[in-house]
Amino acid sequence: MISCFGFGFAFAQTNVHEPGTPSSQFSGINLSSAVLTLAPGMSGPEMKASEMLLDEVEKRCRVRWPVSIKLPEKGTIGIVLGQRKNLIHSFPTLAEKLKDDGNDKAEGYRIVTLESGVIVVAGNDARGVLFGAGRLLRLMDYSRDTVSLSHKIDLSSAPRYALRGHQLGYRPKTNAYDGWSVPMWEQYIRDLVVFGTNAIELIPPVSDDDRDSPHFPLAPMKMMIEMSRLAKEYGIECWVWYPAMEKDYGNKATVNKALKDWGDVLRQLPRVDAVFVPGGDPGHTAPKDLFPMLQKQAEQLKNLHPGAKMWMSPQGFNSEWMNEFYDIMKAEPDWLEGVVFGPQQSETIENFRAKIPKRYKIRFYPDITHSAWAQYPVPNWDFAYVATLNREPINPRPVDESAIFKRLQPYAAYGFLTYSEGCNDDVNKFIWSGLGWDPDENVTDILREYSRYFIGTNVEEPFAQGLLSLERNWRGPLINNQGVQTTLLQFQELEHSATPSMLHNWRFQEALYRAYYDATDRNRLIEETAQEEKALEFLGRAPLIGSLVAITKADAALAKPDMLPSEDTRARVFELAEALFQSIHMQLSVPRYKAIAVRRGANLDLIDFPLNNAPWLLKRFSEIMALTNEKDRLREINNILNWSNPGAGGFYDDLGKQGTEPHLVQGSVYTEDPAFQRAPLSGMVVQRNYIARISSYTYAETLHDYPLEMFYPDLDKNIHYRLKVIYGPESKTDIRLIANNKFEIQSMQPKNMNFQPLEYDIPEEATKTGELRLRWNRPPGRGGSGRGVQIAEVWLMPAGNGNISHE
């Protein structure tokens, strides 16, 4: 039985009803007095399945079934668990009910209620027993001292995809995992198994990370051994993500050292089914050197773990290396089991599958953990969320994850192992596991089972709908999204009626944290937007009241009020951050909880990040006040007020912000291209001290070789235009600008990274048709993350309208 001491108790995710809570009414079969009958001769993983069934029922209702090796006597309610063939052999009376029903697929199971009320869980194999027990756990109702089924069952099920797993990295870079004990890891692996997960992926002690964490309860190698042991005991696959970090694998000494280092790690692990070596992100080795090294590693792996397979990915490869990779794959090396499609790959998954010889399996490696600067970022995410929640927030995205799965997973027919950096993406893991078992499953039904099993039978529907509401909180401009407040009210209703065990439940705490944080963001955004508007109103009166008086009043308008509109919700966010650190060691702050970095989930440190232009305005006020001439001060105030004004007959686009980029060419739709490989996406540079306007920090960008385009129809054919551009400075690159596929406006050169407006003449010949198409691109075939073509602001102005300075 899993230990419930320390953090493990809160981590156990149970819904034991508190003293004084009445038992819920039930209809159907009362299993509180049931006996669990086990098929004779069960294997270790099958016994682990029975242990899981007994433990998880007891945690939820304080009922622990006695165990027998005999069928329940007549009139006795019971559960029978085992492999189908063993049950038929040991209990011939079950043969008719368990006869072949056409479901003999690996990992499948049959659950059937007999006329006597006995429930039989029959697995096609050992994993079928495990997943059948998990399905029964999800079907039952739990209340204080009562476990029941609301209806009889007769179902047969088997998974669609052979591989359904998640990366579980015990390393400092994660936002909670580095604080987990062995019992906590076992509980989480159990939770995943209950929903059909059949693989985990571990990370070795040496990777692209720090060697130590202040949160580690065990040294990394010891924990890796323990997690591999757990995979072996539960009979699920254990993969190892092993980055090739050395600089020169063309050097024999380097290869020999790698063989020794990797061998020293792998030989200590009780179970290894596969090793996956990313070609990049991290690592940077040409295929001609990487493949020979991997072949030697594959030979060593076979000796250490017979049957274990070698996998690799071409992540981050430039075009030269991709061509080299495809040439090597044409030779069909027999030591390679398959290839992985993951982040930082410029090819579409369709093209990737088409170019890989059919003998090789394709494993999908989707990033489900990051919400920005990611493989699958949140579409059109409001800048206020990017600035505060940042890259790695608690991110239930059931609808988005389902769209990604349904669009791309069919091209990786073998299955998936997701990329995760912590439990912030917990809901997403269960969406993927559920769809990996049955791609036709309704996402809301998966959320209902998740809510029912982890939070409680009585809140199944409201909590499931609450998770969907959290995703809707991120749709559209935040300032207009009144649903954010409704979402908070719904979760507050759940919070006020919650039992103490629910309030200690970390999954409940995560949802509350997001609901309160989102509402705090919106309240602040509304207030700070109003403050800025008031400040600008005072500046607009400067010619009447004088520049110094106007600036003094504007400065006062931007000051924080004594009572913040978000004070109560903000305080609750801090309380929930503490609760999450206590329950699952979630590190939502660098100074408070020793998170490794703000971008690694520590968004509590960004909760007060400015959501208006106050820092830039206050800086400009100081500069203007230093001027000695009233005329000069008024001119500079006018420049502030007319920042986005391109003049009569001109056009302005604030890229990266919904509703303010009318000339941006949008490209493909999200459901067809969730990786934005053929469409622009929005982004933002997040810096502690603003030196520019928010409009200069937000940007639109395109990835890899896909150009960013803007299109202006119906221009005045007789006007000579000038162009003003501010580039987004998040990623360095060379960049080129072409007009109408013919006129070079800016030659390929390093992108300006200082928020400096750049001005260009547009040749009159370029606009003589009345249309203008601007195209930015970086050098082709660069590989890596593909980022760099980032445009923040664009003014297209009739020549002569340059009286407004944007310095």
Side-chain angles (χ1 to χ4, degrees), residues 84 87-89 91-100:
R84 184 194 305 241
L87 291 174
I88 291 174
H89 179 266
F91 309 118
T93 57
L94 300 179
E96 179 63 25
K97 272 291 184 181
L98 299 181
K99 65 183 179 180
D100 183 17

Side-chain angles (χ1 to χ4, degrees), residues 325-626:
F325 163 75
Y326 285 130
D327 285 342
I328 292 173
M329 292 302 297
K330 288 177 184 177
E332 300 191 8
D334 58 7
W335 51 267
L336 185 66
E337 178 72 7
V339 290
V340 175
F341 185 86
Q344 296 197 11
Q345 289 185 220
S346 57
E347 291 263 22
T348 64
I349 194 170
E350 299 98 316
N351 290 343
F352 187 71
R353 172 68 276 184
K355 293 179 180 180
I356 298 296
K358 290 184 179 180
R359 64 169 286 181
Y360 294 106
K361 300 171 183 174
I362 304 290
R363 171 196 142 182
F364 198 13
Y365 181 42
D367 177 358
I368 66 170
T369 203
H370 296 123
S371 298
W373 307 286
Q375 185 183 18
Y376 303 111
V378 176
N380 296 313
W381 209 22
D382 193 278
F383 86 92
Y385 284 137
V386 180
T388 56
L389 288 171
N390 210 248
R391 188 180 188 223
E392 211 167 275
I394 295 164
N395 69 338
R397 297 175 59 191
V399 175
D400 282 353
E401 297 299 336
S402 174
I404 295 164
F405 181 97
K406 292 178 184 296
R407 173 65 182 85
L408 303 175
Q409 186 60 58
Y411 294 95
Y414 183 59
F416 60 85
L417 248 159
T418 69
Y419 168 30
S420 170
E421 294 282 17
C423 56
N424 65 299
D425 58 25
D426 181 69
V427 170
N428 301 338
K429 290 189 183 78
F430 289 88
I431 293 296
W432 278 83
S433 291
L435 293 175
W437 189 280
D438 180 4
D440 299 322
E441 181 79 5
N442 180 281
V443 169
T444 305
D445 286 342
I446 296 174
L447 293 177
R448 289 183 176 113
E449 284 205 342
Y450 176 96
S451 303
R452 174 190 186 83
Y453 183 69
F454 290 124
I455 310 301
T457 304
N458 59 328
V459 294
E460 169 187 338
E461 187 65 18
F463 193 79
Q465 294 299 332
L467 294 174
L468 289 166
S469 295
L470 288 177
E471 184 172 25
R472 286 193 294 270
N473 279 5
W474 288 0
R475 302 294 196 223
L478 175 58
I479 200 165
N480 299 329
N481 190 345
Q482 297 181 16
V484 171
Q485 183 63 24
T486 302
T487 300
L488 176 62
L489 292 172
Q490 290 171 332
F491 272 105
Q492 286 178 327
E493 184 177 337
L494 288 172
E495 183 181 21
H496 294 156
S497 62
T499 63
S501 65
M502 279 178 63
L503 294 174
H504 281 87
N505 183 321
W506 68 266
R507 289 185 167 100
F508 190 60
Q509 292 167 355
E510 280 199 339
L512 289 177
Y513 181 89
R514 262 290 312 286
Y516 276 99
Y517 200 122
D518 290 2
T520 301
D521 264 357
R522 184 167 185 267
N523 289 339
R524 286 183 54 231
L525 181 61
I526 292 170
E527 173 68 20
E528 293 179 28
T529 299
Q531 286 182 293
E532 181 174 336
E533 289 173 351
K534 189 66 175 177
L536 295 177
E537 181 183 326
F538 284 125
L539 293 181
R541 295 169 59 191
L544 298 176
I545 63 177
S547 62
L548 298 180
V549 173
I551 287 176
T552 300
K553 289 181 176 292
D555 188 294
L558 293 171
K560 284 189 176 181
D562 294 334
M563 178 66 72
L564 296 173
S566 58
E567 194 166 303
D568 291 345
T569 57
R570 180 183 181 278
R572 186 63 179 134
V573 171
F574 277 79
E575 292 171 353
L576 289 162
E578 177 65 26
L580 282 162
F581 182 71
Q582 296 297 331
S583 61
I584 48 163
H585 230 80
M586 198 168 198
Q587 301 137 37
L588 291 161
S589 167
V590 174
R592 288 170 179 261
Y593 306 118
K594 300 298 181 290
I596 196 170
V598 171
R599 278 169 64 97
R600 294 295 176 180
N603 47 57
L604 190 66
D605 297 341
L606 295 171
I607 196 167
D608 295 322
F609 193 92
L611 301 181
N612 62 12
N613 285 306
W616 176 76
L617 285 169
L618 295 174
K619 174 175 172 289
R620 293 291 292 124
F621 291 171
S622 295
E623 295 167 350
I624 295 170
M625 294 280 277

Side-chain angles (χ1 to χ4, degrees), residues 132-145:
R135 182 66 179 277
L136 181 61
L137 282 167
R138 286 148 52 194
L139 289 170
M140 291 186 290
D141 296 327
Y142 306 96
S143 60
R144 188 173 177 80
D145 300 327

Side-chain angles (χ1 to χ4, degrees), residues 262-267 269 299-306:
W262 293 26
D264 289 344
V265 170
L266 296 172
R267 70 170 44 91
L269 302 181
E299 292 167 356
Q300 174 177 252
L301 177 63
K302 186 176 181 180
N303 292 329
L304 295 173
H305 296 278

Side-chain angles (χ1 to χ4, degrees), residues 30-252:
N30 189 336
L31 298 170
S32 306
S33 301
V35 173
L36 177 61
T37 297
L38 303 180
M42 293 178 80
S43 65
E46 291 171 77
M47 290 303 297
K48 204 68 176 174
S50 68
E51 180 184 309
M52 177 181 78
L53 182 59
L54 292 166
D55 289 352
E56 298 305 317
V57 168
E58 184 178 18
K59 289 172 189 174
R60 283 161 174 78
C61 63
R62 307 194 309 182
V63 171
R64 190 170 185 87
W65 294 324
V67 177
S68 174
I69 58 172
K70 297 181 180 179
L71 284 178
E73 296 179 359
K74 188 174 182 180
T76 301
I77 299 297
I79 293 92
V80 181
L81 179 69
Q83 283 197 48
R84 184 194 305 241
K85 61 182 179 182
N86 294 339
L87 291 174
I88 291 174
H89 179 266
S90 301
F91 309 118
T93 57
L94 300 179
E96 179 63 25
K97 272 291 184 181
L98 299 181
K99 65 183 179 180
D100 183 17
D101 60 356
N103 172 22
D104 59 355
K105 188 176 179 181
E107 303 186 1
Y109 56 80
R110 173 92 182 276
I111 304 178
V112 60
T113 305
L114 305 181
E115 291 300 323
S116 62
V118 170
I119 299 163
V120 180
V121 182
N124 294 346
D125 49 27
R127 284 191 195 161
V129 175
L130 185 70
F131 297 134
R135 182 66 179 277
L136 181 61
L137 282 167
R138 286 148 52 194
L139 289 170
M140 291 186 290
D141 296 327
Y142 306 96
S143 60
R144 188 173 177 80
D145 300 327
T146 303
V147 54
S148 61
L149 270 175
S150 61
H151 58 277
K152 290 185 177 182
I153 304 170
D154 190 352
L155 65 86
S156 184
S157 186
R160 183 81 57 88
Y161 288 94
L163 180 69
R164 308 172 306 282
H166 306 285
Q167 191 177 83
L168 304 178
Y170 180 77
R171 58 174 179 164
K173 191 178 290 184
T174 59
N175 51 49
Y177 287 163
D178 53 337
W180 288 8
S181 63
V182 175
M184 292 170 77
W185 276 119
E186 180 167 8
Q187 183 64 59
Y188 199 58
I189 290 169
R190 266 192 184 181
D191 291 349
L192 293 170
V193 161
V194 165
F195 281 74
T197 297
N198 71 348
I200 60 173
E201 186 166 67
L202 310 182
I203 295 177
V206 177
S207 66
D208 62 328
D209 216 327
D210 293 351
R211 294 295 184 95
D212 198 8
S213 163
H215 305 285
F216 279 161
L218 278 183
M221 190 68 239
K222 289 183 179 179
M223 186 61 81
M224 191 179 187
I225 293 169
E226 289 295 310
M227 294 174 72
S228 175
R229 173 185 62 79
L230 289 171
K232 182 177 181 179
E233 289 182 359
Y234 281 87
I236 62 174
E237 291 190 22
C238 180
W239 287 54
V240 178
W241 177 84
Y242 221 125
M245 299 294 293
E246 299 295 337
K247 291 184 178 180
D248 184 11
Y249 287 102
N251 181 286
K252 184 177 180 180

